[in-house]
Amino acid sequence: RMAGNVWRELKRDCLTLPDVDVDESDLRLTFDGGGAIAIRSTHAPDRLRGEGLDFAVLDEAAFMAEGVWSNVVRPMLLERRGSAMFLSTPYGLNWFWDVYQLGIQRRRGWRSFHFTSYDNPLIAREELEALRQETPDRVFREEYLAEFIADSGQVFRGVREAATAAVDAQPRPGARLIAGIDWGRSSDATVIAMIDAETRQMVALDRFVGIGWELQRGRVRALVERWHPVVVWAEENSVGSVNIEALQADGLPIRPFKTTASSKAPLIEGLALAIERGDLALLPDDTLISELLAYRMERLAGGGYRYSAPSGLHDDTVMALALAWHGVRYGGATVTFA
């Protein structure tokens, strides 16, 4: 898909030149003087092999397999003593970092350049400042400041320092409380997390495993009757919709949240930013702390991040807390993600 986007822009710009032959099937422009420009995807690296090259541009190089450069592209440059340019957002300390270091160390034939989004004249500085306020530090540094960061994959930072909420909190008159629910049945737990939206402190966390849906809904009702939250955000996926409808029928202020690839990232990043900046006080609960510290993100080859618990571990308290914080940020509003 990225190759197709580059092809359309390149074709548009080059069609203003005389005598250009366009080969749509091969994504190739051939010029009257004998030169040619072709666009290729590295999805299947072996298909790149072929004729020698004068110049190669590896766009978003950090997200290509290392062998694309060393085993395929570089040999194609040898015969003509061709050159290459690597463009990319960093992706941890992988092979792109290695070749970047060759220019930093001024190895013969290599030069390295570093630009941030602030150097881009097409991006308004105030937009970047707004993004900085809304984006976890690690993501902002890598995505917008183009920093190479060791890829530990840890999402939540400052977790233990944030665990300062009182464990004996009691309902207080007039408090504006928001809750989040992540449903579970057998191996996964159902978790209810509650936050005081005014003090930005967790006040309650209930976690239970291996009980039927009717009993689970009873636990939810009991917690709602005790704390009287103004809204409860509950994950709608799978079995969630049935439980949500039953609780709504009982008059509980339940709102559904559908977790998708596009909705999960801002949900988790919002919680990570709040913990990182000390905007949310956590309960010093061992399971909560453990799940937050274990939670990981994986940079995707096409851009963006995948958030999840490591294999064999759980993220039930993480998701419930993220939903509650979502409610603190957006209140009762319905938020959609493209």
Side-chain angles (χ1 to χ4, degrees):
R1 185 171 57 188
M2 182 184 294
N5 292 338
V6 176
W7 166 248
R8 285 189 291 273
E9 293 185 17
L10 180 68
K11 180 175 62 174
R12 178 196 64 204
D13 292 341
C14 289
L15 284 179
T16 60
L17 302 174
D19 299 318
V20 180
D21 180 63
V22 179
D23 187 338
E24 290 284 358
S25 62
D26 197 37
L27 304 188
R28 176 186 290 266
L29 300 173
T30 303
F31 300 89
D32 189 49
I37 301 176
I39 304 298
R40 295 288 181 265
S41 167
T42 64
H43 183 70
D46 285 338
R47 295 184 183 178
L48 296 172
R49 300 179 187 275
E51 59 190 304
L53 301 175
D54 297 295
F55 195 83
V57 179
L58 288 78
D59 193 14
E60 293 295 1
F63 303 96
M64 298 177 185
E66 181 175 1
V68 169
W69 164 242
S70 58
N71 299 339
V72 180
V73 177
R74 192 165 196 173
M76 294 167 68
L77 295 169
L78 285 176
E79 181 182 341
R80 301 186 185 182
R81 302 190 68 176
S83 301
M85 177 183 290
F86 306 81
L87 312 172
S88 193
T89 300
Y91 184 22
L93 304 184
N94 66 352
W95 74 273
F96 177 63
W97 182 82
D98 292 336
V99 296
Y100 180 80
Q101 294 306 305
L102 296 175
I104 295 296
Q105 297 165 11
R106 299 189 179 278
R107 297 286 185 90
R108 184 174 178 271
W110 289 87
R111 294 182 67 188
S112 291
F113 307 87
H114 173 259
F115 301 98
T116 75
S117 293
Y118 288 96
D119 297 310
N120 188 338
L122 301 179
I123 300 178
R125 191 178 186 89
E126 56 269 25
E127 291 292 331
L128 290 171
E129 291 303 322
L131 280 168
R132 184 189 286 271
Q133 297 302 314
E134 301 166 2
T135 309
D137 181 65
R138 184 195 186 283
V139 175
F140 188 85
R141 287 166 56 200
E142 188 171 70
E143 289 285 344
Y144 301 101
L145 301 184
E147 293 184 16
F148 289 95
I149 301 173
D151 193 13
S152 67
Q154 184 175 354
V155 176
F156 299 102
R157 302 173 187 277
V159 172
R160 297 190 187 281
E161 294 80 357
T164 59
V167 296
D168 56 352
Q170 299 297 319
R172 61 184 184 88
R176 184 172 177 272
L177 304 176
I178 309 291
I181 302 178
D182 182 62
W183 303 103
R185 180 63 186 267
S186 54
S187 59
D188 290 333
T190 289
V191 176
I192 310 168
M194 198 161 314
I195 300 173
D196 187 318
E198 296 166 357
T199 65
R200 303 298 174 94
Q201 297 201 24
M202 283 186 72
V203 295
L205 183 70
D206 196 8
R207 181 178 181 274
F208 37 93
V209 185
I211 64 175
W213 296 124
E214 188 173 347
L215 287 175
Q216 291 197 29
R217 292 193 293 269
R219 293 278 287 265
V220 173
R221 290 189 198 96
L223 203 67
V224 169
E225 288 170 3
R226 180 179 182 224
W227 290 94
H228 299 288
V230 295
V231 64
V232 180
W233 284 93
E235 189 172 34
E236 184 183 23
N237 302 44
S238 184
V239 298
S241 58
V242 175
N243 289 313
I244 290 169
E245 289 175 7
L247 292 170
Q248 286 176 334
D250 289 342
L252 273 66
I254 307 286
R255 286 182 177 268
F257 185 97
K258 193 170 187 64
T259 305
T260 65
S262 60
S263 68
K264 188 174 184 179
L267 185 77
I268 296 299
E269 289 170 4
L271 177 61
L273 188 62
I275 294 174
E276 187 176 288
R277 295 186 172 176
D279 294 336
L280 173 62
L282 307 174
L283 285 169
D285 178 87
D286 289 342
T287 301
L288 173 64
I289 301 302
S290 175
E291 288 189 2
L292 286 168
L293 290 175
Y295 205 72
R296 289 291 181 266
M297 65 179 169
E298 175 190 357
R299 182 67 186 264
L300 301 177
Y305 297 88
R306 177 189 291 122
Y307 295 95
S308 63
S311 178
L313 299 181
H314 300 282
D315 64 354
D316 314 303
T317 61
V318 174
M319 291 303 298
L321 181 61
L323 287 167
W325 181 250
H326 166 84
V328 172
R329 295 174 68 198
Y330 297 108
T334 298
V335 180
T336 58
F337 299 90

